[in-house]
Amino acid sequence: MVQKVLIVLSCMIGLAIIMSMFYYQRREPIPLPSAIVEQNQPDEENATTEKAPLVPINVEDRIGYSLQNDDLQITYDDGNTWTLVPIEKDKLFEGEYQGNKTELIDNSFILTENDTAFLYSEGVVKVIHSQNQGETWDETVVSDRVPSIRFRKVVFLDDQFWYVIFSADRTMSSEVSFIYITTNQGESWQSINIPDTTRLIADGGFVDAKTGFMSYGTINPQEPSLYVTNDQGETWEQAVFDMPSKYDRVFVIARAPFKEEDHLALIMDQGPNGDYYRDGLIRAKFISTDNGHTWEFSEEVEPENEEEG
Amino acid sequence: MKKRAKWFGGVFFLIAVAFLLLQVGSLIVQSHYQAEYIDNGLFYIFNIIIVISLGLSLLSILSLKKMGNVILVTIASLIIIANSYLMYQSNQDIKNITSISPDTKQIFSLKKNTNTGEATYYRSYYRILGRPKEALPSPIDKEGDLMWLADDIAVFTYRDKQQQMQQFVGTYGDRKDSSSYSYVGAQIYGQWEDENTAITVNQEGITINRQLFEWDQTQQYGTLAIVLSDNAEAKWTIALGDDFFFDENNAEPPTGEIILYEATTKDTEAISLQYEGNAYSMIQ
């Protein structure tokens, strides 16, 4: 009895092997993951955007820009009329930029009712600005170095004080950062001192003509690294954070501070690998009452109620 | 004697069934998850193991007449020969280059189309299965050595159709607990030496025995190794040794060794280098 069962089982196994051999010989090779992605991406996109009407990317209510058709155009009436900005699109993305060039780099432009400005690079770093919604443009040279710029930011704090922060020549995890300021609407830009570090800059900014900040550490930081000056860059000092221990190594990258009521405030991010605490979405708000030198934790900030400076 | 034979027979039968389940299970997983055996030969080897075990089991348990034994052995032999032939054939079309890491935890696998020389790098899953990860940058003309520089870094050296040396590095995992990307070049800033070799890593690039490789001549693999090329030809691979440690967030110099491995068809040894000091050149 056992023998018969054994023989039947053995025959089935033998058959299974022979069948599997046929199956195995006829199998299809597996495509590479990249090949699969290509298959799933029909080139519809090119076909539809070719002559599509311009769709504004809104910055403020009714004010927006478009990078469609390889031009930079701005609108002040929600896309009814457009003004062409006389810069080649690629110059806005010159340097170290990884993206698809469908949106401008954050902070590399100003687009408000009164001021329009774009920071770009064509061998030299330039700002083009207009104070009449694009009727006339002024082009100014910020820096005549020929760097490959990475971080870039332009801000008009008021009619008098404008600044540009950029970083260049990144080699792995170090780079040089630069701050340029002007008090005559870009007629002349002047370089000011930066903190003594070559770490990668994360953000920077001024709250008034004297008080400025530079925040560092975009590769794997463990704690915030924020420098403050109260004399327009003559001297820099590292700001001190009173970090509640439960947020230690959680909130690690400070954004540029801003003025709020009678004190300064800033938002702090969790950093590139900030998935420790509630999926990395929560940010922290810190407050300083001594012009940016020491910072106290204020509250957690949900992504949607974030306050920007 | 008889009892012992039955016992052996039972064990062999269980082995046969176990491998059959493994084989069938693998084939089902493969068809569902776009995977295949990490080495195509495994399929045939498993079949051969099943047939041999089953044959031995039947010979031990069944008391067949002479004729029966002959038939059994003949059938088993035919299946084994068929599998051996198919295995040989399959390796003629797709050549498998497979190697197990020194700590036996990782498997490096390449499958090369012998007609075109194009090769695909496979990631292994559960030791025996693999999924295609990426194609080698250029087709292979002649294979060189496959060398494990660390338990999680394997370097495959080959000559491409343009007769240029190339190196392809398989790296397995990220040694740090974080999931962030880290740059090998940034971690090895400084001066590295052994008796005959000196490496300087600074802002300009990596200098090996006075030959400078600028940063754009380097290509990083995973987070553990970089290949240095000159005129599109690989010259060296630099890998982080098993004991290498560097914390990007403090100023302490790295500890442990880095490993230098030349891209050549000649027999060559990997060279371990120690940290000798700072070579940081400030810009500005």
Side-chain angles (χ1 to χ4, degrees):
Chain A
M1 179 59 196
V2 177
Q3 296 203 350
K4 274 186 187 152
V5 172
L6 206 57
I7 291 171
V8 171
L9 275 177
S10 303
C11 290
M12 283 165 64
I13 293 174
L15 265 175
I17 287 176
I18 291 165
M19 277 161 58
S20 73
M21 284 164 66
F22 280 102
Y23 167 78
Y24 197 68
Q25 290 308 118
R26 283 175 31 201
R27 77 197 193 286
E28 296 281 325
I30 300 170
L32 274 170
S34 55
I36 298 171
V37 174
E38 277 163 26
Q39 281 169 13
N40 296 344
Q41 276 185 340
D43 42 13
E44 272 171 34
E45 223 175 88
N46 289 337
T48 50
T49 53
E50 196 60 60
K51 279 291 164 209
L54 300 182
V55 180
I57 298 167
N58 279 341
V59 178
E60 275 182 35
D61 199 27
R62 305 182 67 77
I63 304 179
Y65 67 89
S66 158
L67 288 167
Q68 281 162 259
N69 308 333
D70 270 339
D71 286 324
L72 172 60
Q73 303 188 64
I74 53 175
T75 177
Y76 285 89
D77 54 9
D78 219 6
N80 289 324
T81 56
W82 290 90
T83 310
L84 184 72
V85 183
I87 328 171
E88 282 169 39
K89 178 183 164 184
D90 283 345
K91 292 181 178 169
L92 294 160
F93 300 100
E94 197 82 345
E96 193 174 327
Y97 165 81
Q98 277 115 20
N100 53 12
K101 300 189 183 180
T102 54
E103 285 190 33
L104 288 170
I105 302 169
D106 283 348
N107 294 323
S108 74
F109 66 100
I110 295 166
L111 195 48
T112 64
E113 201 72 39
N114 302 319
D115 288 305
T116 311
F118 298 93
L119 178 65
Y120 65 102
S121 167
E122 50 176 10
V124 299
V125 178
K126 287 183 172 178
V127 166
I128 188 168
H129 71 273
S130 166
Q131 287 173 316
N132 46 24
Q133 305 199 338
E135 269 175 49
T136 57
W137 295 95
D138 280 320
E139 204 181 85
T140 66
V141 176
V142 178
S143 160
D144 54 12
R145 270 179 63 94
V146 190
S148 165
I149 63 177
R150 187 186 66 84
F151 176 87
R152 58 202 89 184
K153 182 173 184 174
V154 56
V155 174
F156 294 178
L157 207 57
D158 52 42
D159 277 354
Q160 294 304 314
F161 186 74
W162 302 356
Y163 65 87
V164 164
I165 299 174
F166 65 90
S167 70
D169 295 344
R170 183 175 80 87
T171 318
M172 300 303 166
S173 56
S174 66
E175 66 184 2
V176 195
S177 33
F178 299 89
I179 307 172
Y180 282 84
I181 58 173
T182 177
T183 49
N184 49 19
Q185 308 212 326
E187 256 174 61
S188 62
W189 290 86
Q190 170 200 351
S191 169
I192 65 170
N193 283 338
I194 57 150
D196 186 19
T197 176
T198 55
R199 291 183 65 190
L200 301 187
I201 182 171
D203 200 1
F206 283 79
V207 293
D208 58 47
K210 293 280 180 205
T211 310
F213 297 90
M214 293 286 268
S215 171
Y216 293 92
T218 58
I219 294 182
N220 215 359
Q222 305 281 311
E223 56 181 17
S225 168
L226 182 73
Y227 290 80
V228 54
T229 179
N230 293 123
D231 48 17
Q232 215 174 65
E234 288 293 307
T235 56
W236 289 91
E237 200 179 293
Q238 193 148 13
V240 178
F241 288 90
D242 182 14
M243 182 74 72
S245 58
K246 76 165 180 167
Y247 298 128
D248 190 29
R249 301 196 169 211
V250 172
F251 296 114
V252 292
I253 298 183
R255 294 196 199 170
F258 51 93
K259 267 192 177 146
E260 192 182 69
E261 294 158 23
D262 60 342
H263 53 250
L264 299 179
L266 66 79
I267 299 291
M268 199 176 300
D269 290 325
Q270 296 194 26
N273 41 347
D275 45 3
Y276 310 107
Y277 189 61
R278 293 180 61 187
D279 295 335
L281 292 173
I282 301 297
R283 302 191 162 91
K285 185 173 173 184
F286 283 77
I287 283 175
S288 170
T289 51
D290 61 355
N291 230 356
H293 290 266
T294 59
W295 295 84
E296 300 250 326
F297 175 76
S298 156
E299 61 186 346
E300 290 182 11
V301 184
E302 300 282 339
E304 63 268 25
N305 339 318
E306 198 171 290
E307 291 176 60
E308 283 291 342
Chain B
M1 184 62 210
K2 194 93 179 169
K3 198 154 195 186
R4 194 183 237 193
K6 287 233 157 109
W7 190 82
F8 270 119
V11 170
F12 279 119
F13 190 75
L14 287 181
I15 293 174
V17 171
F19 272 93
L20 182 76
L21 292 178
L22 183 66
Q23 181 88 291
V24 172
S26 302
L27 291 178
I28 292 172
V29 170
Q30 289 173 31
S31 62
H32 276 76
Y33 296 97
Q34 297 262 317
E36 53 187 59
Y37 280 121
I38 190 80
D39 189 308
N40 292 349
L42 278 175
F43 172 82
Y44 307 104
I45 291 170
F46 286 162
N47 274 350
I48 291 170
I49 292 174
I50 296 169
V51 171
I52 291 176
S53 308
L54 197 62
L56 289 174
S57 152
L58 293 180
L59 287 178
S60 321
I61 297 174
L62 304 179
S63 29
L64 295 170
K65 304 246 163 54
K66 200 177 174 197
M67 197 58 188
N69 283 340
V70 171
I71 292 172
L72 183 62
V73 170
T74 313
I75 293 174
S77 304
L78 280 175
I79 299 180
I80 291 168
I81 290 166
N83 273 289
S84 308
Y85 174 74
L86 289 174
M87 181 157 98
Y88 167 80
Q89 263 303 319
S90 117
N91 217 24
Q92 295 298 304
D93 300 333
I94 306 287
K95 180 166 181 192
N96 287 252
I97 299 158
T98 311
S99 173
I100 300 172
S101 67
D103 66 356
T104 71
K105 287 191 181 143
Q106 311 294 348
I107 296 172
F108 177 94
S109 167
L110 280 180
K111 299 190 184 188
K112 181 187 107 174
N113 181 322
T114 41
N115 292 323
T116 61
E118 283 162 3
T120 307
Y121 171 67
Y122 278 67
R123 273 259 166 221
S124 77
Y125 294 89
Y126 310 112
R127 306 290 169 89
I128 59 167
L129 297 180
R131 290 171 79 172
K133 173 91 192 322
E134 60 190 297
L136 256 56
S138 47
I140 299 172
D141 186 59
K142 185 173 188 309
E143 290 141 38
D145 286 337
L146 177 67
M147 175 91 167
W148 289 87
L149 297 184
D151 284 335
D152 47 8
I153 306 169
V155 182
F156 174 64
T157 309
Y158 64 97
R159 205 165 62 205
D160 68 16
K161 300 270 184 197
Q162 279 77 44
Q163 303 306 311
Q164 305 256 54
M165 293 308 298
Q166 300 297 343
Q167 285 187 317
F168 179 86
V169 188
T171 67
Y172 300 87
D174 184 0
R175 293 198 195 136
K176 297 187 179 156
D177 37 6
S178 71
S179 57
S180 71
Y181 194 76
S182 59
Y183 293 97
V184 172
Q187 295 184 56
I188 61 172
Y189 257 52
Q191 183 78 29
W192 299 83
E193 277 167 21
D194 88 328
E195 284 157 27
N196 309 313
T197 315
I199 301 183
T200 306
V201 184
N202 61 20
Q203 217 84 358
E204 284 115 65
I206 299 178
T207 309
I208 298 176
N209 293 341
R210 296 210 200 89
Q211 186 182 4
L212 172 69
F213 296 90
E214 291 180 13
W215 287 113
D216 57 12
Q217 295 173 293
T218 68
Q219 189 190 358
Q220 176 158 340
Y221 287 86
T223 54
L224 300 177
I226 41 180
V227 172
L228 313 180
S229 302
D230 187 19
N231 281 329
E233 182 165 41
K235 295 290 180 194
W236 302 93
T237 291
I238 296 178
L240 305 182
D242 280 319
D243 59 352
F244 180 89
F245 179 79
F246 177 68
D247 184 353
E248 281 166 8
N249 296 292
N250 65 37
E252 298 291 310
T255 56
E257 292 176 340
I258 62 171
I259 299 161
L260 180 68
Y261 184 64
E262 191 175 1
T264 171
T265 42
K266 286 178 249 152
D267 268 351
T268 180
E269 293 286 318
I271 306 163
S272 297
L273 300 113
Q274 311 282 338
Y275 185 77
E276 291 294 333
N278 206 319
Y280 200 79
S281 75
M282 288 287 292
I283 28 176
Q284 272 209 330

